[in-house]
Amino acid sequence: YSSLFSSVLVSAVNQDARDTGKLHLESVELFKEYKKIVVVMDESILGSEFKVKFKKNTINTIVYPGITYSGANVSAASNYFFRKAVLVGDEIVQIASLFELAHEKSYYTVYIDNQGVLKDHGAKNYMDKAELSFVDSVISNVDIASYDRDGTALQQILSLLNTPRKTFIYINKFGAHVPYNKTIPPRLCKESRMEDYQTSVQVNSIAFLDRLASNMKSDTIVFYTSDHGQNFGKGPAAGNTGDDAAESEWDVPFALATGDANFIEQLKSSEVFERKFITHFEIAELVRNVLGYQMKGKRSIFEIQSTRKDEQSYCGHYGPPFNVLSNSAHNSRTCKVIDVH
């Protein structure tokens, strides 16, 4: 399914680089400069399962208490939206990549690929040559056992955090990718779909974040989420369309870790924590805020005095983002409307 989906995608969409510039962005100084910024994009972590296993907030880590929805219910589109798209009204619009924005702010940019994204003959999470030109270092862990990749990446991240230079890291983890029994050491496998999934979340998500958060300095900030959730029905675990798509396919976690206690308090004081839900678009907005950018003429929802309204529903995208990549009309967007009560 995955390779077929990707090959169809590439043939139908022009993958050539476009000059997106920073049409919808402006430079700001909402927060202090952080020397180390890490975006952890986990794989297939269901938000509700994460919250069950995550014990409690600590001095270094805070988990968003409401619901978090991913941009899409399939990896490639979700990663693409997170890295280089914004919501302008109800329309998804492509903007400069997080790698480009970090590069412009003189960060050493690192992409850690635990899934073989760049070796994919299809979508490659929509990372074109233009975007990759802003990546200083690519680290691939695909040649080692799948259940060892995230642990290896953790050590690589910790090493990078101990270097003196400003560093921006984006990692695509292997996480709880199907089949679940391949994501955990053989000694932990129960050959039960749900038990192996729950073990994978504990090992690859909770333990990973706990270890990373315990090494936080005041100049370091980590944004943690997942590309999409999971559907434990009879069909595929994610990427379903129309009536076959379940709300849980967009249900993901959002956690933030930093050694800067003031930032965590500032985040708690923002109106975000009064909301019923946020999405990847808002989390990516916070990453851009920390990098020194915000939407033109639109105050960040993470500012204490923000007047951005709290929405009551969310349009969860499914299928490939043809309309965004091809600049077609918004009414071609395919999504599942999720009402939040």
Side-chain angles (χ1 to χ4, degrees):
Y1 172 80
S2 177
S3 64
L4 174 63
F5 180 84
S6 297
S7 63
V8 171
L9 197 69
V10 170
S11 65
V13 177
N14 180 5
Q15 294 267 320
D16 294 338
R18 290 185 294 140
D19 181 14
T20 60
K22 300 172 187 65
L23 179 64
H24 299 284
L25 301 177
E26 60 186 0
S27 292
V28 292
E29 291 184 10
L30 295 179
F31 307 107
K32 76 172 192 180
E33 181 180 83
Y34 291 85
K35 288 188 64 176
K36 303 290 191 296
I37 301 174
V38 184
V39 176
V40 178
M41 184 62 71
D42 218 327
E43 169 66 45
S44 301
I45 304 298
L46 185 62
S48 57
E49 181 68 23
F50 176 90
K51 288 179 180 176
V52 167
K53 294 190 177 299
F54 189 86
K55 300 304 181 184
K56 61 179 180 178
N57 292 331
T58 68
I59 191 172
N60 288 341
T61 310
I62 186 171
V63 174
Y64 176 67
I67 305 170
T68 302
Y69 292 121
S70 56
N73 66 341
V74 66
S75 295
S78 193
N79 273 278
Y80 161 64
F81 290 155
F82 195 96
R83 293 193 326 273
K84 49 184 178 182
V86 295
L87 280 176
V88 179
D90 292 326
E91 186 175 357
I92 299 176
V93 177
Q94 181 171 309
I95 60 168
S97 164
L98 292 175
F99 285 114
E100 180 178 352
L101 299 178
H103 189 273
E104 185 172 271
K105 296 293 184 177
S106 301
Y107 283 87
Y108 179 75
T109 55
V110 180
Y111 174 55
I112 302 179
D113 181 5
N114 275 12
Q115 295 188 22
V117 168
L118 299 182
K119 292 184 177 181
D120 179 18
H121 296 296
K124 292 181 169 60
N125 285 357
Y126 304 100
M127 294 187 75
D128 56 26
K129 291 181 179 179
E131 183 177 11
L132 284 170
S133 71
F134 297 105
V135 179
D136 295 310
S137 176
V138 174
I139 300 174
S140 175
N141 294 314
V142 297
D143 293 329
I144 62 177
S146 54
Y147 55 81
D148 279 335
R149 294 178 190 177
D150 288 352
T152 299
L154 176 61
Q155 296 304 317
Q156 293 162 344
I157 293 172
L158 293 176
S159 294
L160 287 165
L161 295 183
N162 282 324
T163 62
R165 59 186 167 191
K166 289 171 56 177
T167 305
F168 174 86
I169 304 167
Y170 188 106
I171 175 175
N172 277 124
K173 288 175 75 274
F174 196 74
H177 198 292
V178 292
Y180 308 133
N181 63 348
K182 300 298 183 183
T183 67
I184 56 179
R187 61 184 173 79
L188 299 179
C189 291
K190 303 294 185 183
E191 299 305 332
S192 161
R193 184 187 188 198
M194 286 308 303
E195 286 186 79
D196 287 345
Y197 179 75
Q198 292 165 351
T199 300
S200 184
V201 172
Q202 180 63 47
V203 172
N204 296 315
S205 173
I206 304 299
F208 180 99
L209 184 59
D210 282 348
R211 176 74 188 282
L212 184 56
S214 68
N215 287 270
M216 291 294 96
K217 297 179 180 178
S218 61
D219 64 355
T220 302
I221 189 166
V222 173
F223 302 88
Y224 173 87
T225 187
S226 181
D227 55 352
H228 53 75
Q230 291 287 269
N231 183 344
F232 293 112
K234 296 180 179 179
N240 293 286
T241 61
D243 292 337
D244 292 331
E247 179 181 333
S248 60
E249 295 178 41
W250 288 269
D251 178 15
V252 296
F254 170 44
L256 185 142
T258 178
D260 181 5
N262 290 332
F263 184 90
I264 288 182
E265 289 305 313
Q266 186 173 352
L267 189 61
K268 287 180 180 178
S269 300
S270 72
E271 62 96 16
V272 171
F273 275 63
E274 303 296 325
R275 291 177 166 233
K276 297 176 182 177
F277 75 95
I278 61 170
T279 75
H280 271 181
F281 294 103
E282 285 81 45
I283 300 171
E285 177 180 356
L286 181 56
V287 178
R288 289 191 297 271
N289 291 166
V290 171
L291 283 169
Y293 296 92
Q294 74 174 11
M295 295 283 289
K296 284 183 179 177
K298 196 174 185 181
R299 297 182 71 169
S300 170
I301 64 169
F302 296 94
E303 290 187 77
I304 295 177
Q305 301 300 322
S306 174
T307 58
R308 299 262 289 275
K309 65 179 181 179
D310 189 2
E311 303 292 344
Q312 300 301 310
S313 65
Y314 174 59
C315 187
H317 188 98
Y318 58 76
F322 289 142
N323 61 308
V324 183
L325 289 167
S326 61
N327 280 328
S328 65
H330 167 63
N331 60 17
S332 65
R333 181 180 174 193
T334 52
C335 64
K336 182 181 183 70
V337 177
I338 301 171
D339 292 317
V340 183
H341 303 291

